[in-house]
Amino acid sequence: MGFFNFFKRNISEQEFQEQQKMKYGLEKTRTGFFQNIVNTLTHAQIDDDLYDTLEEQLILADVGPMCAVRLVDELRDAVEEKHLKNGQQALDELRQIICQELTPRYPMELDGKPAVILVIGVNGVGKTTTIAKLAHLYKEKGKRVMLAAGDTFRAAASEQLELWADRAGVPLVQAGQGADPAAVIFDAVKSATAKGYDMVIADTAGRLHNKKGLMDELAKISRSVKKASPEASLEVLLVLDAITGQNAISQAEEFCRAAGATGIVLTKLDGTPRGGCAVSVWENLGLPIRFIGVGEKIDDLMEFDAQTFVETLLPEEALQKEEEEKEETSGEEQA
Ligand SMILES: Nc1nc2c(ncn2[C@@H]2O[C@H](COP(=O)(O)OP(=O)(O)O)[C@@H](O)[C@H]2O)c(=O)[nH]1
Ligand SMILES: [Mg+2]
């Protein structure tokens, strides 16, 4: 115990704000299927029925059948090994297992000059919005950010990004419809290097590529990034829509390794009660989640923190109780 002591952990004001934002963003998921998991475990005796129920509930939360079975197996082993006695202890163990599952195995590559982030994914998942949010986030951190309109397939894509670039207050490099995306990104990296920008974030077209086409295009972009600046680093973020959850993950499996993706952005977590798909991303795609989208506004993107995520979805019972009490008292005060 202790690892997840939500109350006893001393947190800064900023961490508190992050927790609140995550709580709000994950409202549907945390008050839905994950709430059931907490309720099931908190009051239960540990037996085979409990494991069956838990497995079902994890699947309902969209954790994915294979991942759910494995997590429950891990939990069962841990319960035996550590001689855990009750559901509360099992819940604490489950938090740790899921947290480990969600913790990135390697850091993001952002130390290049400039740091290039290429954003890929199928149409409608939230690529362009995510790029605007990323620009905002890194600008707030004091970085000089430039955008590249690499989605040259549709004229509207560039216009949409232009609006967002204005809102975020960052420059945008764009070319006409049908231009070569690798050339646009080359120009952006060149320009960023010349002007001393720290970061280039590039949009790409969301056509459903075949594997070879996608591979070739990304290889070409990657070469042009290096050609434009030998000191550039490249992070390729694949955007997945949490609303389509497991479906999105199985679709992505097809091409994500081929595409050389290095990380995942999971968008629209605010729009689904089944945000559990996050838990199976590593098992299915072998990629860490780097950011989560929790709304449509420019600051509705969060850097992914596994511990805060798990504490939000599987809070300690005491936390919920205290909140209820707080609500009751404030209700009384108003009355
Ligand atoms: N609720 C919610 N909507 C989002 C989020 N991210 C993107 N969207 C919406 O998803 C739609 C498609 O986004 P867009 O960035 O154009 O997707 P793209 O085709 O991949 O570039 C837009 O209506 C966005 O406002 C999110 O985190 N939460
Ligand atoms: Mg787009």
Side-chain angles (χ1 to χ4, degrees), residues 128 151 154 160 203:
T128 305
D151 182 356
R154 298 174 306 133
Q160 188 197 359
D203 202 1

Side-chain angles (χ1 to χ4, degrees), residues 83-102:
H83 309 290
L84 304 184
K85 300 272 181 302
N86 56 45
Q88 189 68 54
Q89 289 174 330
L91 176 58
D92 202 53
E93 191 63 34
L94 182 67
R95 286 190 189 102
Q96 296 191 37
I97 291 171
I98 294 181
C99 189
Q100 213 160 29
E101 187 70 22
L102 286 167

